[in-house]
Amino acid sequence: MSEEMKSRKEKVLSNVKNGYDRIGEDELQTMEEYCRVYKDYLDRGKTERLCVKRTVELAEAAGFVAYRRGMELRPGARVYTVNRGKAIMLAVIGRRSLAEGCQITASHIDSPRLDVKPIPLYEDDGMAYFKTHYYGGIRKYQWVTVPLELRGVVALKDGTVTEVALGEGDEPKYVITDLLPHLGGEQGKKPLNEAIPGENLNILLGSRPVGEAGESDRVKLNVMEKLHEKYGITEDDFASAELEAVPAANATDIGLDASLIGAYGHDDRVCGFAGLQALLDLDIPAKTAVCVLADKEEIGSMGVTGMQSAAFDTFINDLCDGQDVLLRQCYENAFCLSTDVTAAYDPSFPEVYEKRNSAHINFGLGLCKYTGARGKSGSSDAGAETVAYVRRVLDEKDVVWQISELGRVDAGGGGTVAQYMANRNIATLDAGVPVLSMHAPFEVVSKLDAYMTYKGCKAVYEVE
């Protein structure tokens, strides 16, 4: 190629590069350390409650304190508030007035899983089981024959809340069984989404009976007595329990080059942790920086701990009241990076992707102007000015990024919390880490993309 042609192409054509061709050895070492801490966060936070608990530990170690309404907040003050144990909002107060807006990253920390039903425990043919109801969009066949843990809480009538952890560490695990191939001929003829009915996602708890032969529910009684011995609960207490079945495997490096991370819960804790760690590492910003880790996104962001709740408005309004600023004035000048994962192009399934407009592994933070489905339904569809603003912010901080869609136009779609932030009159853009095997019990992300999402969140917080 002639120098003239090379110059002409460089001037007007896009020249997107693999992130590993853009960063140096020092930054690669920083990336590895960041990912090590992230993997620990995943292992400690396999449910939204555990994520909040770990977030509070990290925040307090970084100088954050629980927010109290009316407390004085000078520039640099670091505060957080927990919403009912399942969502959390954190802020670092900036030098400029909230009348000039705030810089927000909003993610969710709930992930697809199996929830234990209110009347779950039963015995059938000498084996005890829990009935479950799946939470969020799962492919049910992926959850059979996978070692599981049971995590959550049981709330008693007297107000006592007991934390439950079954299958942790070296403890016995739990599983949902499947047919052997020798007897699975008819099952194999069914579509993937029908081969394992939702009512068949029953968790095997045990098989050892107690009492005398001929008595009923001997295995069920053994299981319930063990639960009572460990946690002081009875069968009726399941009515006020939140027990979640989650994969027992911990986060691990993937590949001979260890360039990827495999784990349960990348969606969306990989983005939530990025926004959190960026806030923890922040000095005193020009504008107040806010990190939101919400619950219930996987089922529509409803409920008191979801992004549609007034809890977020209350927190920001309290901060505004301390500066005699109207909430609506803050919102109209605010910006939100709605950090949720996107689909990584998978060359094994090219038929559902549009390659030119897909996010690719190792090409950095994926910007998504719109998500949604069926003609962008359920999307905030960010304006050109908002996208240009983010491009500038990221480029000024040398963040590796790409712009993408979730898949082919009519192949499917998805949603995030972006629309609920935009509905508040906050300029919002979706962005996140590309994920392989999204919503599976074991998802895969690139270390480089995870790290660049952290850099992108920090760049947003640091806007002057």
Side-chain angles (χ1 to χ4, degrees):
M1 182 188 303
S2 68
E3 287 300 320
E4 179 189 359
M5 183 60 73
K6 181 179 179 181
S7 177
R8 289 168 63 185
K9 287 187 173 183
E10 288 177 350
K11 184 176 181 180
V12 298
L13 296 184
S14 178
N15 185 26
V16 178
K17 293 182 179 179
N18 187 300
Y20 282 99
D21 296 324
R22 295 183 53 183
I23 63 176
E25 186 61 35
D26 288 347
E27 193 164 19
L28 287 175
Q29 293 179 12
T30 303
M31 176 191 80
E32 289 290 344
E33 176 58 22
Y34 170 82
C35 289
R36 183 193 65 78
V37 178
Y38 167 57
K39 286 184 290 184
D40 179 73
Y41 184 80
L42 280 180
D43 294 345
R44 294 170 183 253
K46 290 188 176 182
T47 70
E48 67 283 3
R49 286 182 182 271
L50 293 173
C51 273
V52 169
K53 181 179 179 181
R54 182 57 177 158
T55 297
V56 169
E57 292 172 351
L58 293 173
E60 291 185 345
F64 283 75
V65 298
Y67 175 74
R68 301 185 313 279
R69 187 166 289 143
M71 67 190 297
E72 183 179 6
L73 297 176
R74 298 179 181 275
R78 301 157 80 84
V79 295
Y80 70 85
T81 186
V82 173
N83 182 7
R84 296 168 172 85
K86 296 194 286 185
I88 185 170
M89 293 161 283
L90 310 94
V92 178
I93 306 302
R95 301 187 303 272
R96 291 157 64 175
S97 168
L98 280 163
E100 299 181 51
C102 54
Q103 298 293 101
I104 307 163
T105 67
S107 308
H108 66 92
I109 50 175
D110 60 317
S111 293
R113 61 180 188 257
L114 304 178
D115 284 345
V116 172
K117 285 189 175 185
I119 306 175
L121 183 60
Y122 72 100
E123 180 179 333
D124 192 351
D125 201 35
M127 291 181 283
Y129 296 89
F130 269 162
K131 298 291 294 182
T132 70
H133 194 133
Y134 63 89
Y135 173 97
I138 68 168
R139 307 190 77 181
K140 295 183 282 291
Y141 74 90
Q142 294 177 335
W143 286 77
V144 297
T145 72
V146 174
L148 300 171
E149 299 177 13
L150 288 164
R151 309 298 293 267
V153 298
V154 178
L156 306 184
K157 288 190 294 184
D158 64 5
T160 303
V161 177
T162 301
E163 187 172 329
V164 174
L166 296 167
E168 186 178 20
D170 294 330
E171 290 184 352
K173 305 297 184 281
Y174 305 88
V175 72
I176 298 166
T177 57
D178 193 13
L179 274 175
L180 61 162
H182 313 71
L183 300 178
E186 290 302 313
Q187 181 194 48
K189 296 176 184 178
K190 297 179 180 179
L192 282 176
N193 290 337
E194 298 175 12
I196 305 291
E199 288 295 348
N200 284 21
L201 295 173
N202 303 315
I203 300 171
L204 181 58
L205 298 175
S207 65
R208 185 171 180 172
V210 294
E212 299 296 327
E215 295 179 346
S216 64
D217 289 337
R218 297 168 66 205
V219 179
K220 176 181 175 180
L221 176 61
N222 189 26
V223 167
M224 197 64 243
E225 284 183 336
K226 288 184 180 300
L227 289 173
H228 184 267
E229 179 183 352
K230 188 169 184 177
Y231 296 113
I233 61 176
T234 67
E235 187 175 5
D236 287 339
D237 293 325
F238 289 127
S240 53
E242 289 182 9
L243 297 178
E244 304 174 11
V246 297
N250 282 341
T252 184
D253 287 352
I254 295 290
L256 287 171
D257 56 6
S259 62
L260 306 159
I261 301 172
Y264 164 69
H266 284 314
D267 181 10
D268 181 38
R269 293 163 192 153
V270 68
C271 296
F273 180 75
L276 170 64
Q277 190 62 55
L279 196 75
L280 301 184
D281 292 343
L282 197 60
D283 198 1
I284 304 177
K287 292 186 175 183
T288 294
V290 179
C291 174
V292 182
L293 303 179
D295 184 25
K296 296 291 185 284
E297 191 277 339
E298 296 294 357
I299 57 172
S301 294
M302 283 77 167
V304 291
T305 54
M307 201 64 245
Q308 294 195 66
S309 166
F312 174 74
D313 306 289
T314 299
F315 179 57
I316 302 300
N317 190 56
D318 284 345
L319 299 183
C320 286
D321 280 349
Q323 298 183 9
D324 294 322
V325 171
L326 295 173
L327 178 64
R328 62 177 182 269
Q329 186 178 10
C330 176
Y331 277 176
E332 67 189 18
N333 292 310
F335 170 74
C336 175
L337 195 68
S338 172
T339 48
D340 203 342
V341 296
T342 188
Y345 178 80
D346 190 335
S348 295
F349 306 98
E351 64 277 5
V352 295
Y353 297 90
E354 198 268 279
K355 191 171 183 178
R356 293 175 185 82
N357 284 284
S358 293
H360 294 263
I361 290 291
N362 292 332
F363 280 75
L365 171 64
L367 306 185
C368 297
K369 187 176 183 292
Y370 44 80
T371 56
R374 299 174 303 280
K376 303 183 183 180
S377 176
S379 170
S380 67
D381 200 3
E385 297 86 352
T386 299
V387 180
Y389 166 77
V390 175
R391 289 173 59 199
R392 181 174 68 253
V393 168
L394 298 182
D395 285 346
E396 287 176 351
K397 297 292 186 177
D398 294 323
V399 177
V400 179
W401 63 272
Q402 56 189 314
I403 195 157
S404 64
E405 293 184 346
L406 191 60
R408 284 186 179 270
V409 172
D410 290 324
T416 69
V417 302
Q419 59 180 309
Y420 309 117
M421 302 303 281
N423 288 346
R424 292 174 161 97
N425 196 26
I426 298 172
T428 305
L429 177 66
D430 272 304
V433 177
V435 178
L436 295 166
S437 305
M438 190 191 299
H439 280 213
F442 194 78
E443 303 168 311
V444 177
V445 300
S446 152
K447 288 182 176 179
L448 185 141
D449 298 337
Y451 172 68
M452 285 301 160
T453 302
Y454 156 78
K455 282 190 67 176
C457 290
K458 198 159 186 285
V460 167
Y461 292 149
E462 292 177 338
V463 165
E464 290 293 328

